[in-house]
Structure formats: C-alpha cells, structure tokens
Amino acid sequence: AGAQGMPIVSTAVGSLPLLLEGGCGTISTQADFPDALNYISTHSADMLNQGQKLREKVISNYSMDIVLEQTIAMYRSAV
C-alpha cells in the first residue's frame, strides 16, 4: 500500500509506528480507529500528503534493490 502512495491508518502494532512516523500515516488507538478512518477519508489533502510521504519513504528505504544490498552486506559482515 505504501509503495503505491496509499495512506495507512493503523493501531500501534509491530513496526508500523516507525514506518508511519513523520506524517507518513496515522497511528490510532483501537477506540479512536473509526474516527481516524473517517478523518482520513474526508480530508483528501491530508490523505494525498500522507500517501505521497509514505511512498517516498518506502521507495527510499524498502525497495528490492536496497533490501538486497542490505542483506548482502549483512551476510558479508558475518563471514
């Protein structure tokens, strides 16, 4: 979703808070989740902005080439 520029609304699970920091998405409590979804769906400028920021972050940090380079570097440092 992030690589396609789709905004993400999530609760604070796993590494999603790290991925969504810096305005790249919305972290919500379970109780406020419906309100967070409603907000992002009715504020298109915020939705587009978050989606674009997330897309840039995902492409810059998690593309296949970057992940492959990091994996190879990790294996090389282990031998």
Side-chain angles (χ1 to χ4, degrees):
Q4 296 303 313
M6 298 297 295
I8 295 177
V9 177
S10 177
T11 57
V13 296
S15 60
L16 281 171
L18 179 63
L19 178 65
L20 301 182
E21 69 183 8
C24 294
T26 302
I27 296 295
S28 174
T29 64
Q30 287 182 332
D32 293 333
F33 194 77
D35 291 335
L37 284 175
N38 184 54
Y39 176 85
I40 202 69
S41 68
T42 57
H43 292 80
S44 59
D46 288 343
M47 182 175 69
L48 292 171
N49 186 37
Q50 286 184 10
Q52 184 59 37
K53 283 183 177 181
L54 182 57
R55 177 176 166 73
E56 292 169 6
K57 186 174 192 175
V58 168
I59 289 171
S60 297
N61 295 291
Y62 303 104
S63 72
M64 289 299 291
D65 291 337
I66 291 171
V67 172
L68 180 60
E69 288 175 22
Q70 292 171 343
T71 302
I72 290 170
M74 181 183 69
Y75 279 112
R76 286 188 176 149
S77 70
V79 260

